[in-house]
Amino acid sequence: MPAIKCGLWPPGCYLQGEFIATQTLIGQGKIGPLDGSEYTRYADFDLNLDVHWIGGDFAKPGAKIEATLPCEGTWAPGNATAKQEEACYSGLFESREDSPAEWKADGDAKFDLWSSTPKLPDVAVGEQVAVGKFTPKLDFTLPGYSQLISSEGEEGEVRFDSAAYNPWAKLGSVFPDATPSLRYDKSDTSDANLPAPYTGVEAVARHIDEARRDPDASYPKKTGKNLPGESPLHPLHRITESAGADSKQRYDQNETVRKLDCNENTPGAPAAGKDCDEYPFRSSAEGAARYQYEGDEFKDDFSVRYIDPKENQEAGRRLGAWYHSDRILNWEAFTVTIGD
């Protein structure tokens, strides 16, 4: 930020000071509401202003820098009674104003953004979702100057949601700029010989990895099979049976179609003590019954394989826990990463 003064004599504009800093903003999404409230969701932010140089008029008495985090919120469809001003607003920590020297000595500031719903979380009410667009901003005060150059940082988004079907926490917040991803590793092997026997997910990881690498070789057989979920450009979309009748019907149909294809032709053989694993998951819109809702071109665009039941069920538990902890909403996009 330069301090520039212009005059008639001598004619021209002259640099009278400089302020140089790097600002870093880190936000923390939340699992759960604000202080036990069933109406208010929130997110915390830490701003660091790393001051590199204070020169000229910026070092004189009276110079001030105020940091704020303004937010403009909007409500998702279905929230007709919600107040626009309560979609996203500043909480307890609205701003910090200090001299450049004080910022250099301590460059940390805290902010919080809140979002309040008009109704309690309820499946009948639906998801009460608001998106806030926030931008860190620095306002400079120098005696004898007007600030003409914008000091706003990059715009970010925070999503506040109330989802009654989430058993861990019905309220929370996340940052939706990145597509969330669940990870399974092929090296995550089970070990029954440990003092506390460990159950891994190797069998599930290998099934997903091999099916996606060579879809046509997976069962049921189909040339040109499409198995999404590896890339944010071709993600899966969660469906939960608890979100409503339509979601439950599709969730159940995925299971019905999967069972029909788990037979003597399924890799691994339907031996006693094995589970018939499927990918994409039953809890995704891309599951086995997708063709019944989106067209026959998606028929058989899934893979089933008989695997160790303990690992299959452990993978399912991790998937469910991840849905809840990362706040994956009904029909929200996600990917599955397979590691070595």
Side-chain angles (χ1 to χ4, degrees), residues 2-336:
I4 299 174
K5 281 188 175 179
C6 300
L8 296 176
W9 188 261
C13 297
Y14 301 92
L15 183 66
Q16 301 294 317
E18 298 167 302
F19 177 84
I20 302 173
T22 301
Q23 63 174 353
T24 303
L25 183 70
I26 298 176
Q28 298 178 352
K30 300 295 179 179
I31 302 173
L34 174 70
D35 295 334
S37 166
E38 293 189 76
Y39 294 93
T40 304
R41 303 80 58 93
Y42 74 113
D44 286 336
F45 296 83
D46 293 308
L47 174 71
N48 177 260
L49 194 63
D50 185 9
V51 179
H52 307 304
W53 176 257
I54 303 171
D57 287 355
F58 283 98
K60 291 183 177 180
K64 295 287 185 180
I65 303 173
E66 182 182 26
T68 57
L69 189 66
C71 182
E72 183 176 344
T74 57
W75 289 96
N79 293 279
T81 61
K83 296 179 180 179
Q84 185 67 29
E85 65 271 19
E86 293 188 345
C88 185
Y89 57 97
S90 296
L92 297 176
F93 304 99
E94 293 188 44
S95 66
R96 175 190 166 186
E97 185 179 47
D98 273 315
S99 69
E102 288 171 317
W103 277 104
K104 185 175 177 61
D106 179 6
D108 294 328
K110 288 187 175 296
F111 300 99
D112 55 350
L113 297 177
W114 297 6
S115 175
S116 298
T117 64
K119 300 177 182 178
L120 292 172
D122 191 288
V123 171
V125 172
E127 298 160 349
Q128 298 180 83
V129 175
V131 173
K133 293 186 177 182
F134 59 86
T135 307
K137 186 178 179 182
L138 299 179
D139 287 318
F140 291 79
T141 300
L142 289 181
Y145 289 84
S146 296
Q147 181 176 329
L148 299 177
I149 299 176
S150 173
S151 63
E152 292 184 350
E154 295 292 329
E155 183 181 79
E157 284 190 356
V158 57
R159 187 197 78 199
F160 303 100
D161 67 83
S162 298
Y165 54 77
N166 190 328
W168 285 18
K170 296 178 181 181
L171 285 73
S173 62
V174 298
F175 297 95
D177 285 341
T179 302
S181 188
L182 170 71
R183 179 177 174 126
Y184 292 137
D185 289 299
K186 292 181 287 186
S187 60
D188 189 1
T189 56
S190 299
D191 191 340
N193 296 318
L194 294 174
Y198 175 77
T199 302
V201 293
E202 175 194 12
V204 171
R206 290 193 180 278
H207 175 203
I208 296 172
D209 184 56
E210 292 169 7
R212 292 199 305 206
R213 286 176 183 272
D214 190 1
D216 292 1
S218 65
Y219 186 84
K221 296 295 183 181
K222 178 184 177 181
T223 301
K225 181 184 292 189
N226 174 38
L227 296 179
E230 189 169 6
S231 163
L233 297 177
H234 302 284
L236 302 179
H237 297 81
R238 184 195 180 189
I239 54 173
T240 172
E241 60 179 337
S242 302
D246 291 343
S247 294
K248 177 172 174 50
Q249 182 193 56
R250 189 155 178 168
Y251 181 90
D252 290 342
Q253 280 300 107
N254 280 341
E255 176 69 0
T256 298
V257 176
R258 178 196 71 89
K259 286 182 177 179
L260 291 174
D261 280 272
C262 290
N263 54 44
E264 65 273 7
N265 296 316
T266 303
K274 287 191 174 184
D275 279 0
C276 186
D277 181 41
E278 83 276 10
Y279 180 84
F281 309 126
R282 173 187 184 181
S283 56
S284 72
E286 291 72 23
R290 182 182 186 182
Y291 74 97
Q292 296 180 3
Y293 301 87
E294 300 181 38
D296 287 342
E297 66 268 29
F298 297 107
K299 186 173 175 58
D300 293 335
D301 276 357
F302 66 98
S303 174
V304 288
R305 175 185 295 186
Y306 276 94
I307 64 171
D308 178 83
K310 290 184 178 180
E311 294 203 359
N312 184 45
Q313 292 158 29
E314 173 64 18
R317 283 190 290 270
R318 294 188 192 183
L319 174 63
W322 178 75
Y323 281 153
H324 303 151
S325 63
D326 270 27
R327 306 202 64 77
I328 312 301
L329 299 184
N330 198 41
W331 279 96
E332 186 172 352
F334 69 95
T335 64
V336 180

